[in-house]
Amino acid sequence: MKLYCLSGHPTLPCNVLKFKSTTIMLDCGLDMTSTLNFLPLPLVQSPRLSNLPGWSLKDGNAFLDKELKECSGHVFVDSVPEFCLPETELIDLSTVDVILISNYHCMMALPYITEHTGFSGTVYATEPTVQIGRLLMEELVNFIERVPKAQSASLWKNKDIQRLLPSPLKDAVEVSTWRRCYTMQEVNSALSKIQLVGYSQKIELFGAVQVTPLSSGYALGSSNWIIQSHYEKVSYVSGSSLLTTHPQPMDQASLKNSDVLILTGLTQIPTANPDGMVGEFCSNLALTVRNGGNVLVPCYPSGVIYDLLECLYQYIDSAGLSNIPFYFISPVANSSLEFSQIFAEWLCHNKQTKVYLPEPPFPHAELIQTNKLKHYPSLHGDFSSDFRQPCVVFTGHPSLRFGDVVHFMELWGKSSLNTVIFTEPDFSYLEALAPYQPLAMKCIYCPIDTRLNFIQVSKLLKEVQPLHVVCPEQYTQPPPAQSHRMDLMIDCQPPAMSYRRAEVLALPFKRRYEKIEIMPELADALVPMEIKPGISLATVSAVLHTKDNKHILQPPPRPAQPTGGKKRKRATEDIPDCKVLKPLLSGSIPVEQFVQTLEKNYKVTTIKPKAILRTVNKLVNFCFLED
Amino acid sequence: MPEIRVTPLGAGQDVGRSCILVSIAGKNVMLDCGMHMGFNDDRRFPDFSYITRNGRLTDFLDCVIISHFHLDHCGALPYFSEMVGYDGPIYMTHPTQAICPILLEDYRKIAVDKKGEANFFTSQMIKDCMKKVVAVHLHQTVQVDDELEIKAYYAGHVLGAAMFQIKVGSESVVYTGDYNMTPDRHLGAAWIDRCRPNLLITESTYATTIRDSKRCRERDFLKKVHEAVEHGGKVLIPVFALGRAQELCILLETFWERMNLKAPIYFSTGLTEKANHYYKLFITWTNQKIRKTFVQRNMFEFKHIKAFDRAFADNPGPMVVFATPGMLHAGQSLQIFRKWAGNEKNMGTVGHKILSGQRKLEMEGRQVLEVKMQVEYMSFSAHADAKGIMQLVGQAEPESVLLVHGEAKKMEFLKQKIEQEFRVNCYMPANGETVTLPTSPSIPVGISLGLLKREMAQGLLPDAKKPRLLHGTLIMKDSNFRLVSSEQALKELGLAEHQLRFTCRVHLHDPRKEQETAMRVYSHLKSVLKDHCVQHLPDGSVTVESILIQAAAHSEDPGTKVLLVSWTYQDEELGSYLTSLLKKGLPQAPS
């Protein structure tokens, strides 16, 4: 059993597990932090961005000035942004049988894998994961396609040139494999390969392995996976949460008794408490708006935004913000808000109860009805006529490199009245802001990451007791910035096995048993003998049938009845060719009885019971005398 | 002998009061807990005393499963759980769990408030009963206990309707509840995988009908409604709040839009408005088309259909009203009917008496109501027809089939058809009658991978004539069964292995020296046993595989040599063959 690690990003994993002749890809995360090295894509021509000076080497050589631009001491690639794909060379991806998706953030690389590697298997994911994942992909494609960029820089990727560049470009990994965004056509084709599954649904793979998604509590439809055969169990934990937000709570009990537990997707901000961050978010928002400033919230179109809207719903009136317009701008804003209301079965208990009434589970329905929250596909069109300031705008993309957010950064960046509040933890906010420097607007960092922290992990591991833990290397040491915090790492016994990008791990367990079915006719014919109290043995001679990885034992065929005397005679004269295995002999021998039988049948009188008894334990050597 | 036992307490050769007891591998499951529309006495609920007369039901039932929210499938549930007493789990899907208590409350109100029944279940009992419900997802495997698992499949029919697979070990039963094999305007078609249950319990409402195409019925309905409205008449459509009502609303809504009609359509208030809400929130349970387009247009947000107010009934001019309840026996639909029955322009689609052609009805207070309005009966209920049932049997591939929820005569016909076409047994027990099916489950054991791999490596080429035998020892300890190689079994249990050896003397007439005799034996065996390993050892003995042959001089007769043949029990066949071969003597030595 082996684990091929294709991604170096601990929260956007992509691993391949080889288990009992099946090849299973666990998640398909796309590392988008690569886009931070690129210049933002403005919706409307931005004089500031287009007038940035080109970058030249220390010796004044400016041959890269078309590709690289400098802004406040940072160098950016002036090109269509590119993403860092999972490793495609480590293992032949056309041999992958199935892909298991744990949540909508962890499927963003799917089109690259399913469309360009010869993959011909099935993808399994829950319905909310697929629907919201589709929205995320749609938004991404839309953001990038609607501002076509003529320039595609590639010179800087040359290994000899990359060495000469300043950090972080110099240290960027695998730049030659970075790829542009996929198209909608590829997205549709990739999503068509997905088969929908429900929590606790048992899915048989080739009769050899059974996979089951479990609720992970992190997002709508998010799941952990159990991959098991009859005697071995691997748990794949990815993006789980124990906090009560909107999704169904995490199913921990089903993770028990795992031989191996693969642990990915822990919180990226282990020192921040999500509840505190939400409070800070609200108060900063209110403060800015009261002072006549605008608030910009760069966000994904689904997920934490539902919780933020719910908090604001409770907060608006008490904070005197009832007249402040809230705008949600995304090509998929409407779909996201609508979809959130129809997944009753995937929600936490409180929200389910509301649906039973029947009422919409999320209060943003009411915010929309009362016109407090308005949503637009883009800032063009209706939005420009409705737009009032001061206001609060939720829009993407959190990397600040594309999407409507770029426009608002340019528009509001110059005034210190305005505030940008970062809630998504996926991108370093300082790096995200770099191409907008110098900035006058306030920047607040309230990362809300509800995924497991290290205290919760150690509790979870104590609870479910896996034999072995496997995790990304980042989790086996404290974060580089807080190297003294020994509590910010996984602590378990035996120590967790760690992996890094492009590594292959041999997982430490040995398979010893396999399930086999004994047909009832054969079972009837078995003669069990009690050897020790409570333990019985029966010798089995049967025909083994193996089909679709299922093994069945059937009774041996009856020997053909001899038809005539002549034939029978010849049968005994044949040289016995097949060696019929005899049962092994063991146990105590009833010597007295045996001797009596011999005496009776063979009229032997010379056997001494004691003499036989002496030899019985070592070797029984019986002589059958010819008379 | 293990067996599966099935006893319908209701819906056995009957429609209504669905309630079927299943015993499988020692587990007892109750499928549905319905009431009967046709009775007002004890017979309206299943006779639970059949399960036990004095014990607690909880001790006798492992779980209860409700297939969908129709009252003939869940109407007796509060009576069963709160008045008779059952505290175990009750499984149903999320939409069923949401809607079921509302219909029960409605049912209770009509029974207690309108008919004045005493000793009926209370609102509180409905609430307490619903607390025992565990909601299940489609395709989720629910572990009721360590051995019993259930799994829900999509059934169409109404929002949240499900078929259930009940499984213990390798034995399983599938219960369909009510289902529909053709997708309609708002629901998808029932689907099940090839799960090969021991028994499929299927409804058989339309056991003999192959229904005309749905499209024809719909066209017919629209034409009649349209005509009535065109002539300025009022149309009353009595419906049950949930289920078909939504289907007809979508039908009329799209028709109105296409034909640009202006006559108002009303939906009687209360339940039905609420009902549409459920459809909006549980849109993932509707058909693909509605799910795909719901962001742009939610099919359950009707433009032309508005809430009805009592006063509207007297408005002049044409209108269409959907009113509850569907059988016109009480409530709003009856009130409107009374108002409109006198006018031949009006149209209604209604209840028993009127359907049977009766035109004068005696109402409360001895008033006689003359029905002049046109009456049409149209069935849009979403059950599988004979073709659909056969299709489902084909999909699931059961070992046998059991029919419920239909009329005996029609069942008889379908039973024959199923037995002919699928060559499986088909049963149709009446209420209280038990069907027993013997099963022969195979026994799962763990085989040591070493043994299995060894066998599989040797048996790569299956030979039909000479099947290879696998030899092993089954260790049974408590309920843990393991099949291992015999050597491993002995080692594990600390048992010493005995060797059984046979030794045989064969007298051979040969005056030559022992060494020469041995040599002769060697060359003889070598020529006969071409496929075996025959060796002549330096000490003068001859071996065939592991069988040892030594030649010795006879103590008395120098012309006779004694051959000592010795073999182990494992080589018994070859050993006895050799002795009989040697007894025949050696061929003449070449001179």
Side-chain angles (χ1 to χ4, degrees):
Chain A
M1 186 158 109
K2 282 191 171 146
L3 189 70
Y4 297 73
C5 311
L6 311 186
S7 160
H9 196 300
T11 23
L12 297 167
C14 183
N15 295 315
V16 173
L17 178 72
K18 282 208 174 201
F19 179 32
K20 267 190 88 180
S21 75
T22 57
T23 306
I24 303 170
M25 180 179 276
L26 306 169
D27 276 331
C28 214
L30 182 63
D31 187 351
M32 292 200 242
T33 52
S34 57
T35 59
L36 292 174
N37 295 300
F38 292 78
L39 271 191
L41 286 179
L43 260 180
V44 271
Q45 180 79 17
S46 155
R48 187 186 70 86
L49 285 172
S50 41
N51 291 333
L52 286 176
W55 180 80
S56 50
L57 289 171
K58 273 184 200 132
D59 59 8
N61 193 337
F63 74 105
L64 281 167
D65 67 347
K66 287 266 179 320
E67 293 201 348
L68 301 179
K69 304 283 177 187
E70 196 166 348
C71 175
S72 304
H74 286 85
V75 177
F76 298 95
V77 182
D78 186 12
S79 170
V80 185
E82 294 179 334
F83 307 120
C84 178
L85 269 56
E87 239 11 84
T88 48
E89 303 293 317
L90 191 62
I91 180 172
D92 180 0
L93 293 175
S94 67
T95 62
V96 170
D97 297 311
V98 296
I99 302 179
L100 310 180
I101 302 293
S102 58
N103 64 66
Y104 45 74
H105 285 301
C106 291
M107 61 184 280
M108 297 299 278
L110 200 58
Y112 294 118
I113 305 292
T114 59
E115 306 309 300
H116 300 288
T117 62
F119 171 80
S120 60
T122 313
V123 185
Y124 291 99
T126 63
E127 186 167 6
T129 300
V130 177
Q131 299 295 5
I132 297 172
R134 177 195 295 276
L135 297 182
L136 291 181
M137 290 180 179
E138 235 180 273
E139 190 190 56
L140 192 66
V141 173
N142 188 298
F143 279 163
I144 290 185
E145 283 187 352
R146 72 184 177 187
V147 275
K149 189 152 185 138
Q151 167 143 310
S152 178
S154 57
L155 207 54
W156 71 277
K157 289 187 181 178
N158 186 312
K159 271 211 171 94
D160 294 326
I161 295 174
Q162 200 197 349
R163 272 191 300 122
L164 307 172
L165 305 181
S167 271
L169 276 179
K170 185 172 68 177
D171 311 318
V173 288
E174 312 266 352
V175 289
S176 58
T177 64
W178 288 11
R179 289 284 172 273
R180 290 182 175 210
C181 189
Y182 31 73
T183 63
M184 215 43 222
Q185 196 188 355
E186 289 168 315
V187 170
N188 286 330
S189 169
L191 295 182
S192 71
K193 297 179 169 99
I194 300 185
Q195 197 166 321
L196 298 184
V197 293
Y199 289 150
S200 305
Q201 179 176 347
K202 293 179 179 171
I203 304 139
E204 288 281 338
L205 304 183
F206 318 107
V209 176
Q210 196 181 55
V211 294
T212 310
L214 305 173
S215 176
S216 79
Y218 165 61
L220 270 176
S222 71
S223 21
N224 293 323
W225 290 84
I226 302 279
I227 301 119
Q228 64 187 340
S229 63
H230 291 283
Y231 291 91
E232 300 88 16
K233 177 170 173 179
V234 178
S235 295
Y236 174 58
V237 174
S238 162
S240 302
S241 177
L242 292 170
L243 296 180
T244 318
T245 56
H246 57 272
Q248 215 181 90
M250 177 180 177
D251 179 353
Q252 297 183 64
S254 309
L255 298 173
K256 280 185 185 169
N257 304 322
S258 306
D259 295 290
V260 172
L261 185 139
I262 303 170
L263 185 62
T264 66
L266 304 185
T267 177
Q268 301 182 74
I269 322 287
T271 47
N273 165 21
D275 282 331
M277 288 295 136
V278 171
E280 224 168 283
F281 168 80
C282 287
S283 58
N284 278 297
L285 183 143
L287 192 70
T288 305
V289 174
R290 270 195 219 113
N291 292 331
N294 299 298
V295 176
L296 178 61
V297 188
C299 64
Y300 292 114
S302 176
V304 176
I305 187 173
Y306 302 142
D307 300 312
L308 291 179
L309 289 175
E310 185 156 1
C311 285
L312 289 172
Y313 168 80
Q314 288 155 0
Y315 184 71
I316 290 173
D317 292 324
S318 65
L321 302 176
S322 350
N323 296 319
I324 302 296
F326 286 75
Y327 301 119
F328 177 18
I329 304 172
S330 159
V332 297
N334 184 29
S335 302
S336 165
L337 293 171
E338 289 286 338
F339 269 114
S340 67
Q341 306 287 20
I342 64 159
F343 292 123
E345 295 162 88
W346 309 86
L347 293 172
C348 63
H349 185 256
N350 272 342
K351 297 224 175 302
Q352 258 176 26
T353 335
K354 281 187 98 177
V355 174
Y356 287 1
L357 288 177
E359 278 171 21
F362 285 97
H364 52 241
E366 202 184 316
L367 287 175
I368 295 168
Q369 231 168 33
T370 53
N371 259 332
K372 284 176 182 158
L373 174 67
K374 293 186 174 189
H375 54 83
Y376 304 89
S378 117
L379 49 83
H380 296 303
D382 289 348
F383 175 71
S384 38
S385 50
D386 294 355
F387 183 42
R388 275 192 299 123
Q389 302 191 71
C391 65
V392 179
V393 170
F394 293 88
T395 189
H397 184 271
S399 65
L400 305 192
R401 291 302 179 272
F402 37 82
D404 301 274
V405 73
V406 175
H407 180 78
F408 287 98
M409 283 304 295
E410 294 287 334
L411 185 70
W412 290 343
K414 296 167 209 92
S415 165
S416 60
L417 280 180
N418 302 327
T419 306
V420 55
I421 309 182
F422 291 89
T423 55
E424 301 287 355
D426 288 359
F427 300 92
S428 143
Y429 80 107
L430 287 173
E431 281 182 52
L433 286 172
Y436 299 94
Q437 298 295 0
L439 263 183
M441 92 194 287
K442 277 201 292 285
C443 305
I444 305 288
Y445 185 52
C446 304
I448 298 168
D449 196 331
T450 57
R451 285 172 277 214
L452 297 176
N453 62 34
F454 290 100
I455 301 170
Q456 292 165 330
V457 165
S458 88
K459 245 181 157 174
L460 174 76
L461 292 180
K462 272 198 194 105
E463 182 75 25
V464 306
Q465 300 264 356
L467 287 184
H468 300 279
V469 175
V470 176
C471 67
E473 58 173 352
Q474 289 93 333
Y475 297 157
T476 55
Q477 62 222 15
Q482 292 145 305
S483 52
H484 62 288
R485 292 287 299 269
M486 296 309 283
D487 56 326
L488 299 184
M489 57 183 273
I490 290 179
D491 176 30
C492 64
Q493 274 314 321
M497 295 178 69
S498 70
Y499 67 79
R500 63 175 71 181
R501 188 177 168 112
E503 218 171 43
V504 183
L505 288 190
L507 295 184
F509 73 70
K510 222 182 148 203
R511 294 180 46 227
R512 294 177 57 206
Y513 284 96
E514 176 72 274
K515 188 180 152 186
I516 195 165
E517 302 221 334
I518 298 186
M519 295 307 282
E521 308 85 69
L522 176 62
D524 283 346
L526 294 181
V527 189
M529 277 191 312
E530 188 160 32
I531 300 293
K532 290 178 178 175
I535 303 176
S536 303
L537 289 189
T539 45
V540 179
S541 287
V543 180
L544 172 69
H545 284 267
T546 299
K547 197 180 157 193
D548 299 336
N549 285 320
K550 297 241 182 299
H551 310 290
I552 294 173
L553 279 185
Q554 286 181 340
R558 278 192 205 126
Q561 287 300 314
T563 41
K566 261 191 183 169
K567 257 190 176 169
R568 187 185 152 80
K569 198 169 184 192
R570 207 186 295 145
T572 55
E573 280 169 10
D574 277 345
I575 302 168
D577 51 357
C578 121
K579 191 175 166 187
V580 180
L581 203 82
K582 291 284 163 57
L584 291 190
L585 305 173
S586 73
S588 58
I589 295 170
V591 177
E592 286 295 339
Q593 194 188 336
F594 178 68
V595 171
Q596 278 167 19
T597 316
L598 277 185
E599 282 173 348
K600 207 166 137 201
N601 291 343
Y602 295 95
K603 315 230 163 20
V604 184
T605 50
T606 52
I607 291 170
K608 290 189 178 119
K610 274 202 178 149
I612 290 178
L613 203 56
R614 242 181 283 130
T615 54
V616 137
N617 284 330
K618 252 172 118 189
L619 187 83
V620 186
N621 199 343
F622 300 135
C623 295
F624 285 70
L625 300 171
E626 295 283 312
D627 46 356
Chain B
M1 192 71 176
E3 57 188 27
I4 295 174
R5 270 176 295 126
V6 182
T7 314
L9 296 185
Q13 302 180 4
D14 186 18
V15 176
R17 202 180 73 185
S18 282
C19 184
I20 298 131
L21 297 174
V22 173
S23 293
I24 171 170
K27 304 284 172 185
N28 297 320
V29 178
M30 186 162 99
L31 304 169
D32 279 335
C33 188
M35 60 84 146
H36 204 298
M37 305 255 192
F39 300 111
N40 272 327
D41 52 18
D42 282 351
R43 287 173 296 173
R44 70 179 161 201
F45 291 151
D47 178 13
F48 299 115
S49 66
Y50 180 91
I51 302 171
T52 170
R53 289 206 171 273
N54 31 34
R56 279 158 32 91
L57 285 174
T58 318
D59 301 334
F60 289 84
L61 289 174
D62 292 281
C63 75
V64 174
I65 294 170
I66 302 294
S67 64
H68 63 286
F69 60 64
H70 277 154
L71 288 173
D72 60 330
H73 293 260
C74 69
L77 202 54
Y79 168 76
F80 162 76
S81 75
E82 305 312 305
M83 298 174 78
V84 183
Y86 168 77
D87 299 317
I90 302 168
Y91 294 97
M92 53 179 82
T93 65
H94 282 272
T96 308
Q97 190 191 0
I99 297 166
C100 182
I102 295 168
L103 295 188
L104 286 171
E105 182 58 32
D106 205 45
Y107 172 42
R108 189 196 68 82
K109 267 190 199 149
I110 291 176
V112 176
D113 301 353
K114 297 241 164 79
K115 294 186 189 157
E117 282 190 51
N119 201 21
F120 206 75
F121 53 78
T122 64
S123 295
Q124 189 56 44
M125 286 177 183
I126 299 176
K127 282 190 191 125
D128 293 340
C129 163
M130 293 311 289
K131 280 181 196 151
K132 296 169 186 169
V133 171
V134 181
V136 301
H137 292 243
L138 280 185
H139 301 162
Q140 173 190 8
T141 302
V142 179
Q143 215 70 47
V144 177
D145 57 34
D146 285 347
E147 287 152 341
L148 173 62
E149 57 182 48
I150 62 173
K151 179 176 175 183
Y153 291 92
Y154 190 78
H157 188 62
V158 290
L159 194 74
M163 308 190 273
F164 279 88
Q165 182 192 41
I166 299 105
K167 197 172 170 195
V168 183
S170 60
E171 294 168 76
S172 66
V173 171
V174 168
Y175 172 58
T176 65
D178 292 355
Y179 63 102
N180 188 6
M181 291 299 281
T182 47
D184 56 26
R185 265 158 216 278
H186 77 295
L187 295 171
W191 177 86
I192 194 160
D193 53 12
R194 182 146 301 150
C195 54
R196 298 193 175 100
N198 296 89
L199 177 67
L200 174 78
I201 304 175
T202 172
E203 66 134 325
S204 50
T205 320
Y206 291 125
T208 54
T209 357
I210 303 288
R211 292 199 296 166
D212 49 341
S213 100
K214 210 176 45 154
R215 196 166 281 214
C216 290
R217 265 176 298 139
E218 288 176 358
R219 208 184 303 138
D220 198 28
F221 168 75
L222 290 172
K223 198 176 129 210
K224 280 171 180 158
V225 171
H226 191 195
E227 271 169 12
V229 174
E230 284 278 271
H231 292 107
K234 295 179 168 61
V235 181
L236 169 66
I237 308 170
V239 288
F240 287 100
L242 286 135
R244 292 300 89 194
Q246 280 68 30
E247 179 78 4
L248 294 178
C249 281
I250 294 175
L251 186 63
L252 277 191
E253 168 93 4
T254 39
F255 185 70
W256 248 237
E257 194 140 323
R258 202 175 67 223
M259 304 297 287
N260 200 16
L261 296 179
K262 293 284 177 271
I265 308 175
Y266 296 112
F267 214 132
S268 74
T269 42
L271 249 184
T272 29
E273 235 179 325
K274 221 175 175 182
N276 287 344
H277 249 298
Y278 282 115
Y279 280 83
K280 276 188 230 167
L281 294 172
F282 284 111
I283 210 134
T284 52
W285 284 81
T286 59
N287 69 27
Q288 196 129 35
K289 196 184 154 206
I290 293 189
R291 269 157 50 193
K292 260 198 164 153
T293 56
F294 93 102
V295 175
Q296 289 78 44
R297 165 108 204 265
N298 195 323
M299 284 298 260
F300 300 101
E301 269 161 21
F302 301 113
K303 279 189 204 155
H304 299 272
I305 303 171
K306 296 179 183 68
F308 182 72
D309 186 287
R310 200 171 288 216
F312 293 172
D314 296 322
N315 285 0
M319 67 171 81
V320 179
V321 175
F322 287 98
T324 53
M327 286 316 282
L328 212 65
H329 54 273
Q332 210 160 25
S333 54
L334 183 63
Q335 284 170 15
I336 300 171
F337 177 73
R338 277 196 198 161
K339 277 204 176 127
W340 294 358
N343 190 336
E344 55 279 313
K345 268 191 194 165
N346 298 340
M347 188 179 96
T349 59
V350 214
H352 287 306
K353 288 183 191 155
I354 315 159
L355 273 179
S356 55
Q358 215 171 317
R359 290 318 245 177
K360 291 198 176 169
L361 297 174
E362 198 171 311
M363 307 304 271
E364 297 148 49
R366 309 207 163 226
Q367 224 179 333
V368 175
L369 185 67
E370 195 175 348
V371 181
K372 288 188 187 156
M373 80 192 300
Q374 306 168 53
V375 176
E376 302 280 350
Y377 174 75
M378 277 175 223
S379 163
F380 284 94
S381 70
H383 292 278
D385 61 5
K387 208 172 114 201
I389 296 170
M390 298 300 277
Q391 208 181 328
L392 187 87
V393 175
Q395 261 182 29
E397 278 189 10
E399 278 170 24
S400 44
V401 178
L402 188 145
L403 304 177
V404 294
H405 201 281
E407 293 162 42
K409 254 193 198 158
K410 294 182 179 174
M411 278 183 180
E412 196 69 59
F413 174 82
L414 185 66
K415 173 175 142 73
Q416 277 176 8
K417 220 176 133 180
I418 289 174
E419 286 179 338
Q420 262 171 22
E421 192 158 318
F422 296 103
R423 309 245 160 249
V424 297
N425 286 330
C426 185
Y427 307 88
M428 40 173 284
N431 287 334
E433 192 184 320
T434 302
V435 169
T436 307
L437 291 167
T439 60
S440 54
S442 58
I443 294 153
V445 305
I447 181 166
S448 92
L449 215 54
L451 178 63
L452 182 68
K453 282 203 171 146
R454 194 172 76 197
E455 289 301 320
M456 300 228 315
Q458 288 171 345
L460 275 181
L461 296 168
D463 186 345
K465 282 183 200 153
K466 260 187 249 155
R468 272 189 47 80
L469 286 184
L470 174 147
H471 303 280
T473 299
L474 188 64
I475 306 179
M476 291 167 271
K477 189 178 171 189
D478 304 324
S479 57
N480 180 3
F481 288 27
R482 287 178 304 135
L483 183 61
V484 298
S485 65
S486 304
E487 295 87 351
Q488 192 188 335
L490 293 181
K491 206 173 136 196
E492 246 179 63
L493 296 170
L495 295 176
E497 184 190 338
H498 299 311
Q499 266 194 40
L500 178 57
R501 250 193 126 74
F502 301 93
T503 305
C504 185
R505 291 179 199 192
V506 179
H507 294 242
L508 212 62
H509 182 74
D510 188 0
R512 273 165 276 209
K513 282 188 175 168
E514 293 97 62
Q515 289 89 337
E516 279 172 57
T517 313
M519 195 60 214
R520 282 182 69 202
V521 168
Y522 169 69
S523 41
H524 175 52
L525 293 182
K526 186 91 182 162
S527 67
V528 177
L529 301 164
K530 290 203 172 64
D531 295 337
H532 292 264
C533 170
V534 185
Q535 279 178 305
H536 193 189
L537 300 181
D539 69 351
S541 52
V542 176
T543 60
V544 179
E545 307 283 348
S546 64
I547 295 161
L548 186 72
I549 304 165
Q550 284 173 323
H554 197 276
S555 51
E556 288 149 28
D557 179 5
T560 302
K561 296 288 170 301
V562 181
L563 288 178
L564 276 156
V565 187
S566 165
W567 66 91
T568 64
Y569 179 47
Q570 269 68 25
D571 288 321
E572 158 69 3
E573 275 73 19
L574 191 59
S576 38
Y577 168 77
L578 276 184
T579 43
S580 54
L581 182 73
L582 291 172
K583 266 187 211 161
K584 282 183 216 150
L586 298 174
Q588 282 306 308
S591 45

